[in-house]
Amino acid sequence: MSNTILRMHEISKDFSGVKALDGVSLEVERGQVHAICGENGAGKSTLMKVLSGVYPHGTYDGTIEFEGAETAYKTINDSEADGIVIIHQELALSPYLSIAENIFLGNENARNGVIDWNKTNREATLLLARVGLDENPATKILELGVGKQQLVEIAKALSKRVKLLILDEPTAALNDEDSDHLLSLINHLREQGITSIIISHKLKEIRKIADTVTIIRDGRTVETFSMRGEDATEARIIRSMVGRPLDHLFPPRDPHIGEEILRVEEWNVYHPVDTARKVVDNAHFTVRAGEIVGFAGLMGAGRTELAMSIFGRSYGTNISGRIYKNGKEITVRTVDDAIRHGIAYATEDRKKYGLNLIGDITVNVSAAALGKLAKNGVIDRNREYATADSYRRSMNIKAPSVRSITGKLSGGNQQKVVLSKWIFSGPDVLILDEPTRGIDVGAKYEIYGIINELAAQGKAVIVISSELPELIGMADRIYAISEGKLTGEVPRAEATQEVLMHYMTAGKG
Amino acid sequence: MTDTLTQQPADLHPAKPRRRMRIDTRQYGIFGALAIVVLLFQVLTGGKLLFPLNVNNLILQNAYVLILAIGMVIVIIAGHIDLSVGSVAAMVGAVAALSMSQFHLPWYAAVLISLLVGAAVGAWQGYWIAFVGIPAFIVTLAGMLVFRGLTLVLLTRGTISGLEDPFVAIGAGSLGKTGNPDLITLLIGAVAVVGLIGMGLRTRRTLKRLELPREPAGSFWLKSILVSAAIMAIAWLLANAKGTPVILVVLGVLILSYTFVLNRTVFGRHVYAMGGNLFAAVMSGVKTKWVNFFIFVNMGVLAALAGIVSTARADSAVAGAGQNFELDAIAAVFIGGASVQGGVGTIGGAIIGGLLIGVLNQGLSILAVDAAWQQVIKGLVLLIAVAFDIISKRRSGGR
Ligand SMILES: Nc1ncnc2c1ncn2[C@@H]1O[C@H](COP(=O)(O)OP(=O)(O)OP(=O)(O)O)[C@@H](O)[C@H]1O
Ligand SMILES: [Mg+2]
């Protein structure tokens, strides 16, 4: 008997005239980990939403066979009943409910509508043990980091007797440690006979975990090949994804470092709720013109908090310290002050802090620098469109036009809109928080090129990244942060993963 | 690069007609609803609804809904709500009447004071909402009680009536007539039509030049012709009644300027940005507190204007004035396509929604429908209109 658990045949899907999928076929073997790779906007997430009934039967063309039977899911509940569970690119847990409540949300252990808490907590504990999460099931989700939330999502999937687990960029927001844990969990599930489909832009992970990989480009299947073979390398995936080989991961750069632009001294920040807790502890750092400075740290080390507190006190309470711009002390009390002083901060959380998701590309690109496009408070719409369009082209944002709603763009393309917005604000100091999160390999290269270009124009660039190779490949100097303290400053020549890791874990118990 | 690859599939499968259909149904939705309601009442009232004098009265009697809807749509786009506008209108009406009857101020001073009182009320509520951070729902619920109470205090000696003529003219007068039909009214109608089509054409030309997607020409012209016909029909009816109502001129100015403010100014953009994603707006440097503050100051001024207009129209200030004004305005805004989550809405939509409410008010009162049933019907119309909008969006959208 054939061991194919899933057969998607000639799937096409269009969104009011825009073809997202154009005859994709996909076959997945039972008990395997099947990876799907492709550029931003290739249609990976859409394909999985078709599979899981997010887009109901009848809104797409083509056929889907699961365990030999043709499916016609109208809702996610239908697909879950068959054992197909999808964990979306954006996690979907309810922050104020407990782990146990989230696991059984919509699927409560109840009799006559009354929840059996003993059973709920008992089963939740078992499920947490299966995913290797050592937390009390009564803990609220908002107290967990992303890594642990991801595990709760998987526990939730397991509670539904999952046969086919779909993970859409599960490790995009995770640090290396959490990613490793997640990957070994997927491995473990494979041993228990659970099939997984995993979408990721981190090719190293794909090589580590996938049995088979399917490449999608522009809504079509390019090829499917086994990752067990000799030639199954990252380069092979890239070639297939991008349509050409990518020789270098980082574009060449010839740094011209000038005067100091930004200096931060004795910077202290306290947690906004737990006001006794110091989140940033006496930080000192400088950035020069034309310099790319990296900030390395583990999840929760305080990198984002440091950046946001500098950016107009967007984070934290009781902030103290001094900021110097071009040698002169400046006061930055609001985001508006920061922008006026030429500081820009491109957030790591594009949905929450980065984009007006119901607005189009135009209004998002211009949002932080409307003043540049307005005279006496009146916006010049023509120039605004033209500006957005020039970014659409130069950043290679895949969208039918600049009037496309950003909420409907693929994750990576949304990221490019956020970057465009801050580049357009014309800053002297550009702080990029995880600028390549969710971005495909080809586009990463483009973004590195853009960052280099900005530095070449004499801007000071700060890059916060959880991917050490990225920092090592780009930065002229790297600061390591551990538990809110700057624990090390490493020049390019000395930067290795080992050295950085040493500082990043300094002072940890 | 991959661009050529990207574009090929779209060219091979021209799915454009479907996109057109979608735009059409969405845009005609509110117009269609308005047309249906007008036709329905025209039939039910045996043609009385569109008697020239009744059209004149419809506008005079419902101007307050339109004025309030303009302010309310901004409030709602920004993600707030204002429940106090009815009470504010009543209080301002009392202030205006007192200024003239008690303090013997000229009518224009009374108007000015009234508007200032409205601004002060708006600043008061805006302060709590914007700077203290209390939800608008709570602040304006409190305001609803406070200002209703103050109205009663101001009118302890009872209803004030017999106001100055020029003041009454704001709410009840017209520009005067040159004959029958009145040529000035027809001319104003014609100018409005030409202006509307001209602006539409200009937008289309810009979009074309920038190679951005635009409404298909057929749909644009169909819509323009229908709207023009409606405007000319109303102008014709008014020209055969008392000529152009003063308040219509005021409304026209308000509609034009607020459409401009929302679409073209930085302030308007900030309102949409805050409604779309407040956090993202803050992180883009929008001074959200001040924007919120001004939204409510503006609402206060427009509520005051609504109060002036309805007091003038009634030629008296009564303690019970402005009852349910807030509900009419809020209903108008939602019927006009605004979103409860904020970030979506237009002045044009709110005006059409307001007209729909106005036609309902007028039609039901011509039919002498009992007040109790009037409420039932208005409630159901709101529900159906919004349900229709949501369902049509769901059907055309991806999910
Ligand atoms: N609801 C929607 N409405 C309109 N277009 C959409 C919608 N959802 C997706 N698209 C379009 O379909 C295409 C494929 O999007 P999809 O999210 O599947 O990409 P992806 O391969 O997951 O990309 P990424 O790696 O960036 O997450 C994109 O061009 C996107 O703009
Ligand atoms: Mg995706």
Side-chain angles (χ1 to χ4, degrees):
Chain A
M1 188 193 120
S2 132
N3 212 11
T4 306
I5 186 169
L6 172 75
R7 190 174 279 130
M8 299 182 81
H9 186 67
E10 292 283 318
I11 306 289
S12 295
K13 162 96 190 150
D14 76 59
F15 294 103
S16 42
V18 181
K19 269 234 159 339
L21 297 175
D22 190 16
V24 178
S25 295
L26 175 70
E27 285 193 11
V28 177
E29 297 285 299
R30 189 185 299 276
Q32 284 206 340
V33 174
H34 194 116
I36 298 181
C37 291
E39 296 182 311
N40 296 127
K44 306 177 293 294
S45 300
T46 306
L47 185 67
M48 292 303 111
K49 288 180 186 166
V50 164
L51 169 57
S52 56
V54 174
Y55 299 134
H57 182 73
T59 63
Y60 57 86
D61 296 325
T63 54
I64 305 175
E65 257 177 54
F66 184 66
E67 300 199 297
E70 194 168 327
T71 71
Y73 303 134
K74 283 283 179 203
T75 65
I76 316 181
N77 290 348
D78 295 347
S79 65
E80 285 182 352
D82 275 1
I84 300 178
V85 179
I86 182 165
I87 298 178
H88 289 285
Q89 215 158 343
E90 292 79 32
L91 300 182
L93 296 170
S94 181
Y96 294 99
L97 295 183
S98 70
I99 295 180
E101 284 167 318
N102 266 285
I103 290 180
F104 294 104
L105 195 61
N107 198 10
E108 285 82 4
N109 284 306
R111 184 172 297 165
N112 303 328
V114 179
I115 294 180
D116 180 346
W117 285 110
N118 286 333
K119 191 167 172 221
T120 301
N121 284 326
R122 205 168 49 235
E123 289 188 5
T125 311
L126 289 177
L127 289 165
L128 290 184
R130 261 179 91 188
V131 299
L133 179 58
D134 185 18
E135 288 283 346
N136 185 335
T139 310
K140 292 212 174 14
I141 292 296
L142 67 134
E143 294 166 26
L144 303 180
V146 228
K148 290 183 174 173
Q149 291 190 17
Q150 192 72 257
L151 297 178
V152 174
E153 285 269 17
I154 294 179
K156 185 173 175 180
L158 292 177
S159 80
K160 293 172 181 157
R161 314 204 181 292
V162 59
K163 291 177 193 159
L164 175 63
L165 180 64
I166 305 167
L167 299 131
D168 195 351
E169 299 194 32
T171 59
L174 302 192
N175 60 21
D176 287 348
E177 203 180 335
D178 286 344
S179 302
D180 285 346
H181 182 85
L182 185 76
L183 296 179
S184 67
L185 174 62
I186 295 171
N187 246 329
H188 199 64
L189 295 177
R190 168 165 52 194
E191 285 157 20
Q192 297 170 19
I194 295 175
T195 313
S196 303
I197 295 180
I198 177 168
I199 298 176
S200 178
H201 290 296
K202 297 185 178 172
L203 303 183
K204 207 182 284 165
E205 292 173 7
I206 305 259
R207 204 190 52 208
K208 209 143 98 191
I209 192 163
D211 300 297
T212 313
V213 58
T214 294
I215 311 287
I216 295 180
R217 193 198 306 156
D218 296 328
R220 297 180 200 189
T221 315
V222 178
E223 59 176 334
T224 296
F225 52 87
S226 164
M227 286 303 288
R228 297 282 165 251
E230 282 288 295
D231 64 335
T233 57
E234 286 174 41
R236 162 97 194 265
I237 301 177
I238 294 176
R239 198 171 352 112
S240 185
M241 265 174 72
V242 189
R244 66 191 151 83
L246 209 58
D247 300 326
H248 304 280
L249 282 177
F250 299 95
R253 166 153 176 267
D254 174 21
H256 292 283
I257 296 174
E259 294 288 299
E260 170 188 296
I261 291 195
L262 184 77
R263 185 166 81 242
V264 174
E265 287 184 352
E266 291 178 32
W267 196 255
N268 290 295
V269 180
Y270 289 83
H271 193 274
V273 182
D274 183 3
T275 50
R277 202 167 103 213
K278 231 178 191 179
V279 183
V280 176
D281 190 356
N282 201 26
H284 286 256
F285 68 89
T286 58
V287 194
R288 296 162 160 271
E291 190 180 32
I292 300 177
V293 169
F295 274 87
L298 300 176
M299 201 70 51
R303 298 165 301 171
T304 295
E305 290 78 0
L306 171 63
M308 283 177 72
S309 61
I310 290 171
F311 188 61
R313 310 197 172 176
S314 319
Y315 173 91
T317 45
N318 253 327
I319 299 170
S320 63
R322 295 182 300 278
I323 305 176
Y324 296 87
K325 171 101 187 292
N326 300 324
K328 272 208 284 290
E329 184 166 358
I330 56 172
T331 347
V332 190
R333 281 214 190 78
T334 62
V335 172
D336 185 53
D337 288 344
I339 294 174
R340 265 189 295 108
H341 280 117
I343 303 174
Y345 168 73
T347 168
E348 61 173 338
D349 191 341
R350 56 184 171 245
K351 298 233 152 148
K352 187 164 174 202
Y353 294 118
L355 294 171
N356 172 0
L357 291 168
I358 58 175
D360 62 18
I361 296 179
T362 317
V363 302
N364 276 288
V365 169
S366 64
L370 268 180
K372 283 184 161 187
L373 297 168
K375 209 184 213 170
N376 302 324
V378 178
I379 302 168
D380 182 342
R381 295 298 296 270
N382 291 348
R383 266 179 59 209
E384 189 182 22
Y385 283 131
T387 305
D389 204 47
S390 76
Y391 280 99
R392 183 177 69 88
R393 285 168 210 274
S394 66
M395 301 287 285
N396 207 358
I397 297 169
K398 196 183 158 196
S401 89
V402 290
R403 301 196 77 186
S404 303
I405 302 300
T406 49
K408 295 185 172 174
L409 300 181
S410 78
N413 284 304
Q414 289 177 347
Q415 181 68 20
K416 294 182 188 174
V417 176
V418 174
L419 290 178
S420 306
K421 158 169 145 182
W422 288 110
I423 293 174
F424 175 59
S425 78
D428 305 319
V429 180
L430 183 57
I431 308 174
L432 303 171
D433 199 348
E434 305 284 1
T436 62
R437 172 175 293 174
I439 292 225
D440 71 55
V441 272
K444 261 186 192 167
Y445 186 85
E446 287 168 26
I447 286 178
Y448 298 145
I450 291 164
I451 293 174
N452 286 350
E453 166 109 357
L454 292 168
Q457 290 165 14
K459 299 190 189 305
V461 183
I462 295 175
V463 178
I464 298 173
S465 175
S466 297
E467 289 185 44
L468 291 181
E470 178 170 289
L471 288 181
I472 295 168
M474 288 176 61
D476 300 308
R477 206 149 47 87
I478 301 172
Y479 288 100
I481 307 189
S482 174
E483 319 226 300
K485 289 196 183 71
L486 291 188
T487 47
E489 182 184 341
V490 186
R492 176 177 215 137
E494 292 164 26
T496 62
Q497 301 224 19
E498 289 70 33
V499 172
L500 289 174
M501 267 325 261
H502 169 73
Y503 288 119
M504 282 156 65
T505 49
K508 281 214 150 191
Chain B
M1 289 221 41
T2 46
D3 266 356
T4 41
L5 273 172
T6 328
Q7 270 145 24
Q8 260 167 14
D11 292 341
L12 289 174
H13 304 267
K16 279 189 181 131
R18 280 174 74 178
R19 170 151 72 192
R20 286 182 188 173
M21 282 301 294
R22 186 179 70 128
I23 291 173
D24 289 358
T25 50
R26 282 287 302 285
Q27 288 205 336
Y28 289 129
I30 338 173
F31 284 113
L34 180 59
I36 289 170
V37 172
V38 169
L39 281 178
L40 186 72
F41 278 106
Q42 181 69 352
V43 172
L44 287 179
T45 59
K48 280 192 208 141
L49 179 76
L50 295 184
F51 276 2
L53 261 184
N54 279 340
V55 172
N56 183 62
N57 286 345
L58 191 155
I59 289 169
L60 298 184
Q61 222 137 18
N62 293 289
Y64 75 89
V65 186
L66 301 181
I67 294 171
L68 290 174
I70 291 173
M72 193 64 80
V73 72
I74 302 176
V75 168
I76 285 175
I77 293 170
H80 303 292
I81 194 97
D82 191 336
L83 301 175
S84 70
V85 293
S87 298
V88 175
M91 185 179 79
V92 168
V95 167
L98 280 172
S99 314
M100 289 182 289
S101 71
Q102 195 98 355
F103 299 99
H104 306 290
L105 293 175
W107 68 273
Y108 49 86
V111 167
L112 191 68
I113 288 172
S114 303
L115 294 177
L116 287 176
V117 168
V121 165
W124 159 261
Q125 304 201 110
Y127 167 77
W128 291 104
I129 294 163
F131 297 109
V132 184
I134 300 177
F137 187 90
I138 309 291
V139 172
T140 60
L141 184 63
M144 185 178 179
L145 297 168
V146 168
F147 301 118
R148 177 63 62 192
L150 291 178
T151 311
L152 294 170
V153 172
L154 289 173
L155 295 177
T156 29
R157 286 202 231 144
T159 301
I160 303 170
S161 49
L163 303 174
E164 267 186 66
D165 280 349
F167 183 81
V168 172
I170 301 174
S174 65
L175 293 186
K177 285 183 78 169
T178 56
N180 219 3
D182 170 41
L183 290 178
I184 299 177
T185 306
L186 292 178
L187 190 69
I188 291 176
V191 169
V193 165
V194 171
L196 208 68
I197 295 182
M199 272 178 350
L201 282 177
R202 227 187 74 175
T203 311
R204 288 179 63 74
R205 219 173 316 124
T206 311
L207 291 179
K208 180 174 180 190
R209 190 161 44 78
L210 298 169
E211 293 171 10
L212 290 170
R214 65 206 158 116
E215 197 182 355
S219 150
F220 168 77
W221 282 112
L222 183 62
K223 204 175 77 187
S224 299
I225 289 169
L226 287 177
V227 172
S228 305
I231 290 176
M232 283 321 291
I234 292 169
W236 173 256
L237 291 168
L238 291 175
N240 281 298
K242 295 182 175 171
T244 309
V246 176
I247 193 61
L248 195 59
V249 178
V250 175
L251 269 171
V253 172
L254 288 180
I255 293 171
L256 285 181
S257 20
Y258 278 94
T259 303
F260 181 82
V261 166
L262 274 189
N263 289 342
R264 298 285 308 278
T265 66
V266 173
F267 175 79
R269 182 61 64 75
H270 285 174
V271 172
Y272 280 106
M274 284 164 53
N277 182 347
L278 184 61
F279 288 128
V282 171
M283 293 298 280
S284 301
V286 175
K287 292 175 183 148
T288 52
K289 290 180 179 167
W290 284 103
V291 176
N292 278 333
F293 181 74
F294 281 121
I295 288 172
F296 279 91
V297 171
N298 179 64
M299 184 75 252
V301 173
L302 287 175
L305 184 59
I308 293 170
V309 167
S310 54
T311 308
R313 162 80 182 150
D315 192 7
S316 65
V318 292
Q323 215 72 259
N324 288 350
F325 276 19
E326 62 283 339
L327 301 183
D328 281 344
I330 293 168
V333 169
F334 286 127
I335 290 173
S339 151
V340 182
Q341 281 94 36
V344 181
T346 58
I347 297 286
I351 291 297
I352 307 237
L355 286 175
L356 201 143
I357 297 274
V359 172
L360 272 180
N361 282 341
Q362 182 79 358
L364 291 172
S365 73
I366 293 176
L367 289 175
V369 174
D370 180 61
W373 284 107
Q374 288 203 17
Q375 293 199 22
V376 172
I377 293 169
K378 270 158 77 177
L380 290 177
V381 167
L382 169 66
L383 192 64
I384 292 166
V386 175
F388 180 80
D389 191 38
I390 287 180
I391 291 167
S392 74
K393 261 181 225 172
R394 192 176 303 153
R395 230 186 261 142
S396 61
R399 21 185 165 173

